[in-house]
Amino acid sequence: MRHIDYQKRVSLLVDGALEQSSVDELLAHLEECAECTRAYEKMMSLNKALANVKPSLADRSLANKVKVRISGESNSAGYAWNFSLLKQVPIWALIAILAVGVGDMAGKTLTEALNSYDTSHNLENLIQDNGESLTDVLIDFGQSENGR
Amino acid sequence: MGRFEDLSDQELIIAARGGSEHHFGELVDRHTTLVYRVARSITGSHEEAEDVVQESFLRAFKNLDKFDGSKSTFKTWLLTIARTQSINIVSSFRRKALKFFSDHDEDEPELEFASNPLSQEPLDAETQLSLKRQCHAMDKALKKLPERQRTALLLRSQESLSYDEIAIVMDISVSSVESLIFRARKKIIELVER
């Protein structure tokens, strides 16, 4: 086996990832080979040094920022869910509701449409619409009241 | 002391899937530093690493239903997301343009070191300076490594991930991980000795 192949195993040994059957063979080689022993020592000190260059976060503000964003996302997801409920109503159902509503108003004056309950005749007595729109009725009513 | 400290990641995920932001918050507390370090090692930028951390957790939260605990741990799943996000940022046109028009690294704050040897025991000024130089030489050498080698090496040497876990995070085979780590070590030793 070449030195480079032993050194690949040294790298595994440093990480504790070398199979036990290969460990004994490698250790026997290291006892005889100065080049591979140097490689082992360098890789071991590199590992220690790398642990020292671990960048750290000085405070918890980043974690807090993340939580705030998630909370905001969670709230907006709630609104989206409400809208999605509306989206679940089939379009034909919406058209049917609209058609029934429009159909119910057909042939009626504004007062009749707005006051379909049995007390509508009381309002009819108070404000005569004569089939006119609500605006016209209110203007007429105002004028007649002012004219008194 | 957090309320959920005794719960495993898996238990927290189950609760978070049920709509508990607080349980997901505990996952954020547990893994923010790890994700930050991985993002920082890939992007080389504090600000970009912070962006990656936020985006990664947000993606994880939105896709929590897709997480499969039988295939990976939450940690490796999160790191996979963070690595992809970091690579996307590094290769983005916007970043390249910023790098071209200004020396982006000039504004970088000096690295804070987690296991700072300077703070562990009282050392004389000369030793402190020497250690600081070593740290910076190591940091400089790390930046010269290709991303895949650097990430594999740091996930092993700094974060103590197993070769299997690294393979999942990087979506490569275990033998590729072994090879990347070995080549990274050889290269970095050469660079530091120069």
Side-chain angles (χ1 to χ4, degrees):
Chain A
M1 204 189 289
R2 296 172 302 163
H3 289 297
I4 191 84
D5 297 319
Y6 278 115
Q7 285 167 21
K8 280 179 187 169
R9 290 187 174 190
V10 164
S11 179
L12 293 173
L13 181 72
V14 165
D15 288 331
L18 188 63
E19 287 174 9
Q20 192 54 44
S21 57
S22 304
V23 171
D24 297 336
E25 191 191 335
L26 178 62
L27 290 178
H29 174 75
L30 290 181
E31 276 184 21
E32 295 168 358
C33 178
E35 187 185 332
C36 291
T37 303
R38 268 200 306 277
Y40 171 74
E41 285 164 357
K42 283 175 189 172
M43 285 188 197
M44 285 298 280
S45 26
L46 172 65
N47 251 15
K48 284 181 190 165
L50 282 174
N52 290 335
V53 290
K54 211 152 116 171
S56 71
L57 283 168
D59 56 41
R60 298 175 61 82
S61 67
L62 180 56
N64 291 335
K65 270 188 219 170
V66 173
K67 288 186 215 171
V68 167
R69 277 197 69 181
I70 284 168
S71 185
E73 191 67 27
S74 193
N75 291 338
S76 61
Y79 293 126
W81 182 81
N82 288 337
F83 283 122
S84 72
L85 262 188
L86 187 65
K87 285 175 194 165
Q88 285 172 17
V89 179
I91 191 74
W92 60 263
L94 289 173
I95 293 169
I97 291 165
L98 198 63
V100 168
V102 171
D104 193 43
M105 287 176 71
K108 291 181 179 176
T109 64
L110 200 61
T111 313
E112 284 169 344
L114 292 174
N115 300 283
S116 54
Y117 45 90
D118 58 0
T119 56
S120 61
H121 64 278
N122 295 337
L123 195 64
E124 283 279 348
N125 293 335
L126 183 66
I127 309 172
Q128 295 290 328
D129 63 23
N130 298 322
E132 291 177 326
S133 72
L134 180 64
T135 317
D136 294 335
V137 170
L138 290 176
I139 289 169
D140 290 346
F141 180 69
Q143 282 172 346
S144 64
E145 283 295 304
N146 289 339
R148 278 191 188 173
Chain B
M1 295 278 274
R3 282 177 295 162
F4 310 120
E5 246 177 23
D6 295 336
L7 298 181
S8 68
D9 279 5
Q10 192 57 38
E11 288 168 323
L12 291 169
I13 288 164
I14 291 167
R17 277 177 178 158
S20 169
E21 274 174 42
H22 296 296
H23 285 83
F24 193 81
E26 174 66 21
L27 289 168
V28 172
D29 285 337
R30 280 184 195 180
H31 300 295
T32 293
T33 308
L34 169 68
V35 176
Y36 170 80
R37 280 204 291 257
V38 170
R40 171 110 191 212
S41 78
I42 297 173
T43 62
S45 151
H46 170 72
E47 280 186 4
E48 286 175 341
E50 284 207 340
D51 288 345
V52 168
V53 171
Q54 294 192 41
E55 286 305 317
S56 302
F57 275 108
L58 210 58
R59 275 177 184 253
F61 183 70
K62 283 181 184 171
N63 295 294
L64 213 48
D65 286 338
K66 292 179 190 163
F67 167 68
D68 183 353
S70 67
K71 286 183 183 167
S72 66
T73 60
F74 179 73
K75 185 169 84 172
T76 51
W77 184 63
L78 185 63
L79 287 178
T80 308
I81 297 172
R83 181 170 177 261
T84 309
Q85 292 278 317
S86 305
I87 291 171
N88 287 346
I89 282 188
V90 171
S91 57
S92 71
F93 176 76
R94 185 177 160 272
R95 189 195 206 248
K96 282 175 184 161
L98 276 173
K99 279 257 178 197
F100 183 78
F101 288 111
S102 65
D103 190 354
H104 197 59
D105 290 339
E106 275 180 7
D107 296 334
E108 278 299 299
E110 200 169 319
L111 273 180
E112 295 282 336
F113 297 111
S115 330
N116 193 342
L118 309 180
S119 61
Q120 286 172 354
E121 54 194 65
L123 297 169
D124 60 83
E126 202 177 325
T127 315
Q128 280 193 29
L129 190 65
S130 159
L131 281 169
K132 200 169 183 179
R133 276 189 190 143
Q134 271 181 27
C135 285
H136 282 281
M138 190 66 70
D139 188 51
K140 214 172 158 185
L142 275 169
K143 283 179 180 164
K144 288 185 179 166
L145 292 181
E147 183 276 320
R148 279 155 53 87
Q149 287 183 18
R150 185 171 61 238
T151 303
L153 180 63
L154 293 182
L155 286 176
R156 178 62 214 156
S157 301
Q158 291 188 340
E159 311 305 340
S160 305
L161 261 68
S162 69
Y163 281 36
D164 288 333
E165 287 176 316
I166 298 169
I168 292 171
V169 171
M170 299 182 71
D171 195 22
I172 53 177
S173 67
V174 172
S175 60
S176 298
V177 174
E178 291 174 5
S179 173
L180 282 173
I181 291 177
F182 171 66
R183 280 188 278 140
R185 283 188 170 132
K186 288 280 284 179
K187 181 94 186 270
I188 210 163
I189 287 169
E190 277 173 32
L191 287 167
V192 170
E193 282 180 347
R194 253 182 220 168

